[in-house]
Amino acid sequence: MNRTLLSLVVPFYNEQESIAHFFPRVTAILDGLDGVDFEIVCVNDGSRDGTYQALVAAARGDARIRVIDLTRNFGKEAALTAGLDEAKGDIVIPFDADLQDPPELIPQMVAKWREGFDVVVARRVDRRSDTFMKRKSALLFYRFHNKLADVKIPENVGDFRLMSREVIEALKHLPESRRFMKGLFAWVGFRTAMVDYVREARSAGETSFSAWKLWNFALEGLTSFSTAPLRIWFYLGSTIALLSFAFACEIIIKTLVKGVAVPGYASLLVSILFMGGVQLIGIGIIGEYVGRIYIESKRRPVYLIRSCFQLDRTEAPSQDGCV
């Protein structure tokens, strides 16, 4: 019987403390899968600590571990893209190094795939390990995004999912440089199943996602899959223009018919400041989309690889990938 190759794709950024916990727990689960061989594709996303050295040390002891070292920190979305491009598996699972997503769920995901599903997403039904603000902001993001965007993202579903080789090949055909992977995963579609789990606390270390990074991430997701903010600003501008016209008519009538004096500088100042603020916000929204066009027009690669390491290969620089 042909054995299935599973690729676990894991971005690492300053995760030196987590590595000692990561490999023993993950390999114990993957070793127990019937009829499945596996590889762990570790992408070092420009870590500033000893993450790369720790990954290479782990790879020297296990030929199933591959280490992809990027030239600098390109961000999680780029690192995840690099891992998906390098993965050889019949099925591929993106995974976080902090172990908040339990690897014990992988056998259930593989079972769902064997039932005929191309994608098996993991949904977080309990996020008490996250802070109150992170839970609430995530809830608001999913609901706001799904109301405005054409591509709906399942609530409380992250990158942790199983995808077949067909899904991975479809993702490789998406050319954008600024990548919002949750949206791209949803955009390609395919037959999808869902399994629920409870999100755990980090195994070690601290998250690198600040409130500012999360805000920018949410903005990236919204502008990647929706032009609704531009459309909203058109309707807002039209409404303000109509109200202004109505107010001008009222002033003319009061002045010519009733002889009422034109209101003074206070109302005029408030109107000018209000309209100035609205215009600046509108320009900012337009600028966000123009900036995306500008970046995409350069056609820069999403990431660059410095070197690849695997036990049965020599470590060598690579510009075109490691597979």
Side-chain angles (χ1 to χ4, degrees):
M1 182 179 66
N2 293 331
R3 295 179 64 84
T4 299
L5 177 62
L6 184 154
S7 295
L8 195 71
V9 174
V10 192
F12 286 83
Y13 178 65
N14 294 342
E15 294 285 359
Q16 181 180 2
E17 297 179 17
S18 302
I19 291 175
H21 306 275
F22 177 81
F23 287 108
R25 183 173 170 185
V26 168
T27 54
I29 299 298
L30 297 180
D31 278 329
L33 294 173
D34 292 332
V36 174
D37 296 324
F38 69 88
E39 64 170 359
I40 303 177
V41 182
C42 305
V43 183
N44 178 44
D45 187 24
S47 299
R48 295 185 298 242
D49 60 1
T51 296
Y52 176 70
Q53 291 76 13
L55 290 175
V56 170
R60 292 186 189 279
D62 192 335
R64 299 171 298 184
I65 299 173
R66 299 166 55 203
V67 182
I68 314 299
D69 187 30
L70 303 187
T71 58
R72 64 171 177 85
N73 176 237
F74 286 89
K76 183 182 178 183
E77 306 299 281
L80 183 55
T81 300
L84 296 178
D85 289 344
E86 296 296 330
K88 304 175 184 176
D90 304 301
I91 51 178
V92 180
I93 300 178
F95 196 72
D96 288 341
D98 56 21
L99 292 175
Q100 285 193 275
D101 300 326
E104 289 78 10
L105 202 65
I106 292 176
Q108 296 182 42
M109 301 169 82
V110 173
K112 285 288 185 182
W113 170 72
R114 284 173 171 161
E115 292 176 12
F117 293 99
D118 299 293
V119 180
V120 184
V121 298
R123 180 175 60 184
R124 305 157 183 167
V125 294
D126 189 336
R127 301 186 60 167
R128 283 178 291 182
S129 60
D130 293 333
T131 63
F132 174 80
M133 286 303 298
K134 188 173 182 180
R135 294 198 303 270
K136 292 301 180 184
S137 61
L139 178 64
L140 289 174
F141 165 72
Y142 284 117
R143 292 185 177 177
F144 188 66
H145 180 280
N146 288 341
K147 283 186 178 296
L148 296 182
D150 296 329
V151 178
K152 309 303 180 185
I153 300 176
E155 290 190 20
N156 290 316
V157 171
D159 296 327
F160 184 32
R161 65 190 65 211
L162 180 148
M163 294 174 286
S164 67
R165 172 49 54 182
E166 290 77 12
V167 178
I168 298 299
E169 293 303 320
L171 287 169
K172 289 182 179 181
H173 284 88
L174 304 182
E176 55 255 57
S177 301
R178 296 279 293 273
R179 303 176 72 81
F180 179 65
M181 296 306 294
K182 291 183 181 65
L184 297 181
F185 291 152
W187 187 88
V188 296
F190 290 90
R191 292 190 61 199
T192 303
M194 187 173 294
V195 293
D196 295 335
Y197 74 101
V198 176
R199 190 163 169 82
E200 302 178 6
R202 285 181 62 92
S203 60
E206 297 180 357
T207 180
S208 59
F209 274 95
S210 62
W212 179 247
K213 286 184 178 180
L214 289 172
W215 163 255
N216 287 327
F217 186 65
L219 187 62
E220 184 78 19
L222 185 60
T223 54
S224 292
F225 288 91
S226 175
T227 58
L230 295 174
R231 204 172 300 122
I232 289 172
W233 228 249
F234 168 77
Y235 291 125
L236 180 61
S238 301
T239 302
I240 293 175
L242 289 173
L243 292 175
S244 300
F245 179 75
F247 185 56
C249 292
E250 181 185 2
I251 291 175
I252 293 172
I253 293 172
K254 285 183 178 181
T255 303
L256 296 179
V257 178
K258 299 182 179 181
V260 177
V262 177
Y265 289 106
S267 59
L268 183 62
L269 180 63
V270 169
S271 299
I272 291 174
L273 291 176
F274 173 73
M275 286 303 302
V278 169
Q279 289 170 354
L280 288 174
I281 295 173
I283 291 171
I285 292 177
I286 295 172
E288 181 68 26
Y289 285 92
V290 172
R292 293 186 65 87
I293 296 171
Y294 171 68
I295 291 172
E296 293 292 341
S297 68
K298 294 184 176 185
R299 308 310 304 152
R300 290 174 178 167
V302 179
Y303 59 88
L304 291 175
I305 295 175
R306 175 185 289 116
S307 64
C308 309
F309 181 89
Q310 193 171 11
L311 186 61
D312 58 355
R313 297 182 184 177
T314 58
E315 186 175 8
S318 174
Q319 295 294 327
D320 301 318
C322 305
V323 174

